[in-house]
Amino acid sequence: MDGVKIRARTPTVSEDERCALYHLVKEKRNARTKHISHLQTTEGTELTSNSDCIKEVETFFKSLYSASPTSVTETDTLLKHVNRHLNLQQQRDLQLPITEEEILMVIETAPKNTAPGPDGLTYQLYKIHWTLIKDTLVELFNYIFDSGIVVEGFSDGIVILLPKVIQPRTVSDYRPITLLNTDYKLFMKILANRLKPTFRDIFEIGQTCSVPDKSIIHNLVTIRDTILHYEEFPDEKAALLSIDFNKAFDRMNHLYLQRVMKHFCIPDKIVNVVGSLCDSAHSKIQVNGFFTKRISIASSVRQGCPLSMCLFAIGIEPLIRMSHDILQTGRATCSMFTIRVYADDVVILLRDEEECTKLPQILQTYSNASCAQINTQKSSLVPLGNWPVTHTVNYIPIKREAKILGITVCASFKEMVDINWSITSARTRASIFQHIHRTLNLFERIWHINVFCLSKLWYVAQILPLPTKYSTVLDRAISFYVWKGYFYKLPKTQLHLPTTKGGLQLIAVKEKSQALLTRNILRAKQDESDPMDNKFWQKHIPLLCSKTTILPQSLKMIWEAIESYSPTIATNDKNQDTKIIYTHLMKKNVQIPRIVEKFPNQRWRNIWRNMHMANIPNAWKTTVYCYLNQIIPTEEKRHRHNLTDSPACKNVDGQTH
């Protein structure tokens, strides 16, 4: 049964948790997901045998990873728009010898339980035997870093295929993830840690992936504020164009990437070692437990490599700069954004038909230089304001709704809120009820809800306000899961309290969502690194406080709440901690436990603190907590509800207690 729990690959809540129906179902589902029973070729032929599927996969990836010709002329055209470079001090810092401290930091911060590469070694082995291998690792990494000579097999990998759709039919419906050797990942992570701090200086507004103090949320906030702007001014016209690149990471040309790195003045030492690692890269594709032949990776920044996001961000930056320079011409003092990118997710705001004629040439130039291919059918254009519903770019379909960075985007803010929260709340409820058959006690259920189940909400909560109807639905699902099997229950307001006050620190969904959204509004108002968001909120805050505003009531309520905060919260810097805002909101819902009101003279703070000592098992804590709060169903309580014939104890002394 322990093997079932391991193959289920579910987060461990308790070490002594018994295998349940949930683990069996999970194991079977994981096995079905990994198994490829049939494939369809480009000619439409159905393949069902294992050997035919392996051959089809091998042929597909040999073609995908082969080197395609790149245009030097088009590359030069792109690079003319890139004007930022590393300074001399940054170049010197990047070339410093790799130290023991750098390697140790990467090992200590490495994720647990990650799948190993071809050598079968995990991060855990490096942590345990660090004192024995540290000198060898330092010597090996500096040898590769200085000479650019890569040891045979160092950059080899195993590619596993994960389905991107519910019912994959062709090889392109699978996402290739490369399992790499741990020493290779350590080396590439060190390079990534050195490069990331420089991105703040060499990347201009547009890219948020791997840039310090930027995240995917910045792009979504900008898109949300753009939709609000065009709802306020419906006579203006614009369109959100979401561009999808087909196998974006796998088609990145190595020669193009090296030229862009040199243009940014990244030292030749790093460019050469990255080039050597790319040139020596080979992978085998795993299909139903079997491997294809060894395939040379002549193009691609491999998904699974710690440096892949940084390399792709460098490679797509010329497209961002060229788009910004050409499309921004003629916009004068317009405060709206031009292009926002997170890795390969590109969103462009088109303002008129003339920009629709300029954009295809920009995209073609980038495609010729980097070997990228636009997936027209997966790209989409969402009209805003007074945009002509028949006008598009490169035959990209016009859609009323489009999925951008995991959020469904449409022209109506109210509809956008309702669609996203209906989907997110349904998925969260489904996730909660999936775990209903696990043998967890009260403390473990609360911890599981906080850490795993509710984590699906916070991404959307940072962008869109949570409607009351969905918070109510989620509270009911949480209550059902937490109290399953209990006859007597406690009010949820007590569970939300800190452990020192008699609660269990269950996260309040409504208040946490409001705190996340508030933090991002404060950041947008005060963050001058993104002029579009900053100007939007500086302009609309006075309108939010007026009765004539046409902006959503939900955002007006958020700002009214912000105004009620103390100056230390409302005027704090852009790095405002969500916890401070959440604590402030929770003060409005203070609940004194009933047992404390009943026996106010007891030293309850000491009792609660002692009960939560780290060396006490969760099962014991649950029993004591239920006993203290008088929710254990004694015979006397059951008699009150006509569940037993007598209030007397049947097991011990026959007395009523």
Side-chain angles (χ1 to χ4, degrees), residues 178-327:
T178 308
L179 306 181
L180 297 157
N181 295 322
T182 302
D183 51 0
Y184 173 89
K185 289 190 287 186
L186 291 173
F187 182 79
M188 298 303 263
K189 184 63 176 177
I190 291 169
L191 296 185
N193 289 344
R194 291 188 174 193
L195 281 171
K196 281 181 182 179
T198 67
F199 288 173
R200 187 189 288 109
D201 298 322
I202 62 176
F203 290 170
E204 299 182 49
I205 293 176
Q207 178 66 265
T208 57
C209 176
S210 300
V211 179
D213 301 326
K214 291 289 183 181
S215 72
I216 194 172
I217 299 300
H218 288 74
N219 292 11
L220 290 170
V221 167
T222 301
I223 293 170
R224 178 202 64 196
D225 294 348
T226 301
I227 291 170
L228 289 171
H229 173 85
Y230 285 101
E231 273 200 317
E232 184 180 7
F233 301 101
D235 293 334
E236 295 183 10
K237 59 183 179 181
L240 284 172
L241 178 63
S242 174
I243 299 175
D244 181 85
F245 290 103
N246 185 24
K247 300 289 184 184
F249 280 74
D250 297 318
R251 295 187 187 277
M252 178 62 71
N253 186 279
H254 292 167
L255 294 177
Y256 163 79
L257 182 60
Q258 291 177 46
R259 289 203 65 194
V260 176
M261 293 176 72
K262 290 181 179 179
H263 187 82
F264 278 119
C265 294
I266 294 175
D268 290 341
K269 189 175 181 179
I270 289 184
V271 175
N272 292 337
V273 74
V274 170
S276 297
L277 290 167
C278 290
D279 294 339
S280 63
H282 292 80
S283 289
K284 294 179 180 180
I285 321 298
Q286 181 177 312
V287 181
N288 300 337
F290 297 91
F291 293 106
T292 65
K293 294 179 181 178
R294 200 161 173 255
I295 298 173
S296 176
I297 312 297
S299 70
S300 170
V301 286
R302 297 186 286 183
Q303 297 181 74
C305 171
L307 190 60
S308 62
M309 295 290 272
C310 295
L311 294 178
F312 193 89
I314 291 171
I316 204 171
E317 182 65 14
L319 171 64
I320 301 172
R321 299 277 54 84
M322 186 177 184
S323 302
H324 191 275
D325 291 347
I326 294 177
L327 298 182

Side-chain angles (χ1 to χ4, degrees), residues 491 494 497 501 590-602 604 608 628-630:
Q494 179 176 339
L497 291 174
K501 295 184 179 180
V590 176
Q591 169 75 35
I592 299 176
R594 288 177 296 198
I595 192 66
V596 175
E597 291 179 334
K598 190 174 180 179
F599 302 101
N601 296 326
Q602 300 296 324
W604 287 107
W608 302 130
L628 290 175
N629 285 281
Q630 300 182 340

Side-chain angles (χ1 to χ4, degrees), residues 314-572:
I314 291 171
I316 204 171
E317 182 65 14
L319 171 64
I320 301 172
R321 299 277 54 84
M322 186 177 184
S323 302
H324 191 275
D325 291 347
I326 294 177
L327 298 182
Q328 190 70 18
T329 304
R331 291 193 179 185
T333 58
C334 175
S335 61
M336 306 307 292
F337 81 95
T338 301
I339 181 170
R340 289 292 183 272
V341 179
Y342 184 84
D344 61 329
D345 291 293
V346 179
V347 181
I348 298 174
L349 182 67
L350 300 172
R351 300 295 301 279
D352 52 43
E353 290 83 351
E354 183 182 353
E355 292 183 1
C356 292
T357 60
K358 296 177 181 178
L359 187 58
Q361 183 58 44
I362 299 172
L363 296 175
Q364 188 61 48
T365 301
Y366 175 71
S367 298
N368 293 339
S370 67
C371 302
Q373 292 182 7
I374 296 176
N375 191 333
T376 304
Q377 294 306 311
K378 288 189 177 180
S379 301
S380 55
L381 184 141
V382 180
L384 301 177
N386 197 25
W387 183 267
V389 293
T390 58
H391 213 88
T392 186
V393 178
N394 282 5
Y395 303 103
I396 291 175
I398 299 174
K399 299 180 182 179
R400 191 169 176 274
E401 302 171 3
K403 199 86 166 181
I404 300 177
L405 298 171
I407 298 289
T408 301
V409 172
C410 56
S412 169
F413 180 78
K414 183 179 180 181
E415 187 177 349
M416 180 175 163
V417 169
D418 193 67
I419 291 173
N420 283 285
W421 276 114
S422 64
I423 295 172
T424 306
S425 62
R427 288 177 177 172
T428 305
R429 288 177 70 248
S431 173
I432 291 172
F433 291 135
Q434 276 181 2
H435 300 269
I436 206 75
H437 297 291
R438 297 180 72 173
T439 53
L440 305 177
N441 57 51
L442 180 62
F443 275 59
E444 291 167 350
R445 290 181 190 179
I446 296 287
W447 184 82
H448 182 256
I449 285 283
N450 287 346
V451 176
F452 297 110
C453 297
L454 294 184
S455 61
K456 302 177 185 297
L457 301 176
W458 310 141
Y459 182 70
V460 180
Q462 295 180 74
I463 312 301
L464 303 172
L466 173 62
T468 303
K469 62 178 180 179
Y470 294 116
S471 65
T472 303
V473 167
L474 290 167
D475 284 338
R476 287 175 181 170
I478 293 169
S479 179
F480 180 82
Y481 174 72
V482 168
W483 293 114
K484 181 180 179 293
Y486 286 86
F487 187 80
Y488 296 99
K489 306 172 184 177
L490 297 176
K492 66 176 183 179
T493 48
Q494 179 176 339
L495 296 182
H496 295 325
L497 291 174
T499 55
T500 55
K501 295 184 179 180
L504 295 179
Q505 291 184 327
L506 176 65
I507 294 176
V509 173
K510 184 177 179 181
E511 285 76 10
K512 178 67 176 289
S513 300
Q514 185 176 342
L516 288 166
L517 184 60
T518 301
R519 182 199 65 183
N520 277 298
I521 290 177
L522 288 171
R523 181 205 61 79
K525 174 179 175 288
Q526 299 168 7
D527 188 3
E528 297 181 359
S529 65
D530 196 328
M532 187 261 168
D533 291 336
N534 185 257
K535 291 180 181 179
F536 178 87
W537 285 102
Q538 292 288 358
K539 173 185 175 183
H540 287 87
I541 283 169
L543 295 176
L544 284 170
C545 301
S546 68
K547 296 182 179 180
T548 57
T549 179
I550 64 171
L551 292 179
Q553 180 67 17
S554 54
L555 293 182
K556 182 178 179 181
M557 292 173 62
I558 289 287
W559 188 254
E560 288 174 350
I562 291 175
E563 289 190 318
S564 69
Y565 297 166
S566 64
T568 56
I569 297 177
T571 61
N572 211 320

Side-chain angles (χ1 to χ4, degrees), residues 39 51-65 161 171 283-287 291-295:
L39 284 175
S51 58
D52 289 340
C53 289
I54 292 173
K55 289 178 182 177
E56 176 65 16
V57 169
E58 184 177 340
T59 302
F60 178 87
F61 282 100
K62 272 186 178 179
S63 174
L64 179 64
Y65 290 144
L161 303 178
V171 183
S283 289
K284 294 179 180 180
I285 321 298
Q286 181 177 312
V287 181
F291 293 106
T292 65
K293 294 179 181 178
R294 200 161 173 255
I295 298 173

